[in-house]
Amino acid sequence: MAGAANRSVDAASVAPKDVGKISGGNLVAKALKNEGVDVIFTLCGGHIIDIYDGCLNEGIKIIDVRHEQVAAHAADGYWRVTGKTGCAVVTAGPGTTDAVTGVANAFRAESAMLLIGGQGPSSQHRMGSLQDLPHVDMMRPITKFASTVPSTDRVADMVTMAIRECYSGAPGPSFLEIPRDILDATVDVAKARIPAPGHYRASTRSVGDPRDIEKLADILVRSARPCVLLGTQVWSCRATDAAIEFCRNLNIPAFMNGAARGTFPPGDPHHFHQTRSYAFEKADVIVIVGTPFDFRMGYGRRLRADATVVQIDLDYRTVGKNRDISLGLVGDAGAILAAVTQAASGRVDDGARRREEWLAELRDQERKAVEAQRPRLLSDASPIHPLRLAHEINQFLTEDSIFIGDGGDVVTFSGGVIQPKSPGHWMDPGPLGTLGVGTPFAMAAKLARPEKEVVCLFGDGAFGLTGWDFETCVRNGLPFIGIVGNNSHMNQIRYGQTAKYGKERGEVANRLGDVHFEEFAKMLGGHGEEVRAARDIAPALRRARESRKCALINVWIDPDVYSSGTMNQTMYK
Ligand SMILES: Cc1ncc(C[n+]2csc(CCOP(=O)(O)OP(=O)(O)O)c2C)c(N)n1
Ligand SMILES: [Mg+2]
């Protein structure tokens, strides 16, 4: 495959309807189609209309949204659910600036997506054309690749290049700016470079240095108290099976974060959830797979100081960053875990018995933590306790529910309670912590997997950022169940403000109105209900499911309780 990387489609091998001339807009669509992109998320603008013409010719679906941030988040979400590059197409200037947040989120979350932005005609370069901005300069720090396209014959080539760049090291977003006259113009098909599908990309499933595989196998068979943290790359590498085999064969307890949540379902003997800090303090070997030592990991400071720490990551730059490690492996999570499992299978397992005791100890701790939490999960308090809401949602989810969290404290509360039941069924913004991902992620998830149920928990603040695109979901027949945990505040921020400045000076810029989101849903053609009593949550969720419509359940929750994570301000430590 790599050897044929430079092969282009020649004039003789293209379909008869393409013989002759082709426009820049059609070349964009051809390259997207060759990549397997079957949908673009877009908000229209005069600079980009030729791309739609190409999409119609190539059979690429066009989902038109109400805000470009939504288009970019939806492209990110589409990649997460399908593993195919997400694509958003936005107009020049404000279209592109509106999409910045979505691209930035994809950058921190390691999502492969391409943003295509319009630009004034190249013939008016730097003359002050409508909506002209230095898009490429703006996008460079938050993408893996950002470029303008210099000529129509290079359009398909550069779309292909931009997408290839999404996959170097850890995945991420790319940006292409295409001037209006370049999209509009036509060139001879024979003169345009159109890379042939399957002939311009190599596999990224690298196992790294084989000697390190052997070293890690040695470390693990000797370990007595190991644990593994499975991070987002376990899902993005589609390494679920390899991770399960690894943990089962070596009998290693697994913790999961980000998109890897659901790798093991709750109830599995290797699924651990409540005892991560305990394990990190007591373990002799800690294997971190596909997640950086960022704030979510306390920058690696909360791992036992004398533990053997092993880090596996797609990105060389992530390994050993913020914390010294004992061993680092760079490559694909699935390929590496499978190779280590195999290498270990031929060895004498010195630690097997002691690992059994360790798993029993952790399971015991896990049970205690769950018991301690139970009374609040079942609380009948009025107003509703956010943990009760989380508990009801957790009970409601099935193996086929994709869960999305988009909010502040209400989502922090739910993180310890709501568990996806299957791999790839959990979506959160990632380390950028972007509010507003919910509606676009729901849109993308339902589009990609219509047979799944999509459930999104929103904060009332978060929903407001991108909620108008509830209508896009209604219009396109993409039903999902939205639940707004409504405390009429930006509570996660309010806590820190009132703790520091007292009630009077602290309740500034964080109070929201008492918004009836159920009416908003109805106005847009969806199903809406409000809930004020805990016992009414489950029946309302069931009715939303049965409605088969886009639904918003507006649950009034207690604004005066806060999660422990928020009270400890762990996100800033
Ligand atoms: C786009 C964006 N703006 C601001 C913030 C800062 N922020 C974090 S949590 C939060 C409050 C969110 O309120 P809501 O969604 O209602 O959840 P609550 O904390 O009230 O449960 C804010 C404003 C952010 N993370 N993202
Ligand atoms: Mg709120």
Side-chain angles (χ1 to χ4, degrees):
M1 184 163 141
N6 290 323
R7 214 166 77 182
S8 307
V9 171
D10 58 28
S13 69
V14 296
K17 72 177 166 70
D18 294 328
V19 171
K21 298 277 195 182
I22 186 164
S23 73
N26 274 269
L27 283 165
V28 169
K30 253 189 196 315
L32 292 178
K33 181 79 179 292
N34 287 348
E35 268 292 337
V37 173
D38 50 15
V39 58
I40 60 164
F41 299 93
T42 188
L43 198 157
C44 63
H47 295 81
I48 52 174
I49 56 171
D50 301 295
I51 297 177
Y52 302 147
D53 185 58
C55 288
L56 292 176
N57 284 336
E58 297 297 331
I60 295 174
K61 203 180 282 177
I62 299 166
I63 298 288
D64 47 329
V65 299
R66 290 177 167 270
H67 192 296
E68 288 87 354
Q69 180 183 352
V70 169
H73 285 318
D76 172 344
Y78 195 78
W79 139 264
R80 297 181 193 215
V81 175
T82 61
K84 289 197 279 188
T85 316
C87 183
V89 178
V90 297
T91 197
T96 301
T97 57
D98 272 359
V100 164
T101 301
V103 173
N105 191 70
F107 186 63
R108 289 291 306 272
E110 301 183 352
S111 292
M113 61 162 283
L114 172 65
L115 179 75
I116 298 178
Q119 175 58 297
S122 50
S123 58
Q124 295 165 24
H125 183 57
R126 304 232 160 193
M127 289 172 66
S129 68
L130 173 70
Q131 293 170 229
D132 180 27
L133 276 180
H135 305 123
V136 174
D137 294 337
M138 281 164 32
M139 289 292 181
R140 196 162 278 134
I142 54 166
T143 52
K144 296 174 76 73
F145 175 84
S147 178
T148 193
V149 176
S151 58
T152 303
D153 58 336
R154 294 288 311 286
V155 166
D157 181 34
M158 293 216 53
V159 169
T160 306
M161 189 183 294
I163 292 180
R164 188 193 296 110
E165 295 272 354
C166 291
Y167 294 92
S168 75
S174 284
F175 172 72
L176 264 193
E177 167 198 88
I178 317 185
R180 189 180 187 285
D181 50 354
I182 286 173
L183 285 173
D184 171 64
T186 55
V187 290
D188 287 344
V189 173
K191 288 207 181 120
R193 170 165 154 70
I194 308 176
H199 293 280
Y200 53 78
R201 297 256 299 271
S203 168
T204 55
R205 285 185 49 81
S206 159
V207 289
D209 187 335
R211 289 169 300 185
D212 292 336
I213 300 285
E214 300 296 325
K215 272 191 213 159
L216 180 50
D218 280 334
I219 290 170
L220 290 171
V221 293
R222 282 191 214 118
S223 69
R225 304 166 75 82
C227 67
V228 60
L229 177 67
L230 304 173
T232 288
Q233 287 175 14
V234 170
W235 175 243
S236 52
C237 295
R238 295 301 186 271
T240 305
D241 291 348
I244 291 173
E245 288 277 293
F246 171 83
C247 293
R248 289 201 179 140
N249 283 13
L250 281 148
N251 202 19
I252 299 179
F255 297 90
M256 293 156 277
N257 79 3
R261 294 181 61 154
T263 303
F264 285 99
D268 187 284
H270 291 94
H271 171 287
F272 289 85
H273 183 55
Q274 302 280 359
T275 47
R276 195 173 95 169
S277 309
Y278 182 91
F280 281 173
E281 275 162 25
K282 305 244 171 201
D284 59 355
V285 176
I286 302 170
V287 184
I288 307 291
V289 188
T291 193
F293 288 124
D294 63 15
F295 74 98
R296 295 168 299 178
M297 289 285 295
Y299 303 102
R301 289 181 208 134
R302 291 181 212 130
L303 310 184
R304 182 178 156 149
D306 62 351
T308 300
V309 175
V310 180
Q311 197 177 7
I312 300 171
D313 205 278
L314 277 167
D315 191 344
Y316 170 82
R317 297 170 307 173
T318 295
V319 176
K321 182 171 160 180
N322 299 339
R323 187 198 200 284
D324 287 1
I325 50 165
S326 315
L327 177 66
L329 295 92
V330 176
D332 176 89
I336 290 176
L337 292 177
V340 173
T341 307
Q342 205 191 357
S345 70
R347 284 167 163 75
V348 176
D349 195 339
D350 296 328
R353 197 185 50 75
R354 282 178 299 161
R355 288 206 291 282
E356 263 175 40
E357 289 165 14
W358 167 233
L359 259 88
E361 176 185 331
L362 277 182
R363 184 58 64 201
D364 196 41
Q365 291 293 327
E366 190 95 6
R367 261 189 229 110
K368 284 184 188 148
V370 171
E371 278 311 309
Q373 206 183 33
R374 194 177 300 277
R376 283 191 301 160
L377 295 187
L378 301 177
S379 159
D380 280 331
S382 175
I384 295 168
H385 196 288
L387 277 176
R388 173 70 187 266
L389 174 60
H391 174 68
E392 295 293 341
I393 295 171
N394 189 44
Q395 298 289 103
F396 177 73
L397 298 183
T398 71
E399 283 178 3
D400 285 316
S401 310
I402 296 177
F403 176 79
I404 300 161
D406 178 18
D409 202 37
V410 65
V411 170
T412 306
F413 265 121
S414 73
V417 179
I418 297 178
Q419 312 238 17
K421 320 296 182 229
S422 306
H425 285 53
W426 174 274
M427 297 169 86
D428 62 35
L432 198 66
T434 314
L435 298 177
V437 297
T439 301
F441 278 5
M443 177 190 302
K446 191 66 187 173
L447 186 73
R449 304 295 301 273
E451 75 286 6
K452 296 284 178 186
E453 174 177 84
V454 179
V455 178
C456 183
L457 172 60
F458 295 99
D460 54 319
F463 181 80
L465 286 167
T466 54
W468 271 106
D469 271 283
F470 186 88
E471 189 276 326
T472 305
C473 297
V474 172
R475 179 164 29 97
N476 285 282
L478 301 171
F480 72 99
I481 301 170
I483 302 132
V484 183
N486 196 345
N487 50 23
S488 308
H489 285 92
M490 301 275 195
N491 240 21
Q492 191 151 53
I493 308 307
R494 177 175 169 235
Y495 177 81
Q497 284 178 268
T498 49
K500 183 169 181 187
Y501 291 106
K503 203 165 158 57
E504 203 171 311
R505 297 185 76 84
E507 299 220 333
V508 172
N510 53 42
R511 174 82 169 106
L512 298 166
D514 298 333
V515 177
H516 284 268
F517 292 98
E518 73 283 5
E519 298 300 331
F520 181 77
K522 286 189 230 169
M523 178 185 87
L524 298 177
H527 170 87
E529 285 192 45
E530 70 173 331
V531 173
R532 291 193 184 269
R535 64 173 180 282
D536 295 335
I537 299 171
L541 288 175
R542 279 198 296 274
R543 284 190 293 274
R545 176 178 278 161
E546 282 154 16
S547 80
R548 297 181 173 276
K549 287 184 173 181
C550 291
L552 279 186
I553 307 299
N554 183 27
V555 183
W556 298 99
I557 54 169
D558 190 347
D560 293 319
V561 290
Y562 298 97
S563 70
S564 54
T566 294
M567 288 196 285
N568 295 333
Q569 299 276 288
T570 41
M571 59 291 247
Y572 303 117
K573 286 179 181 165

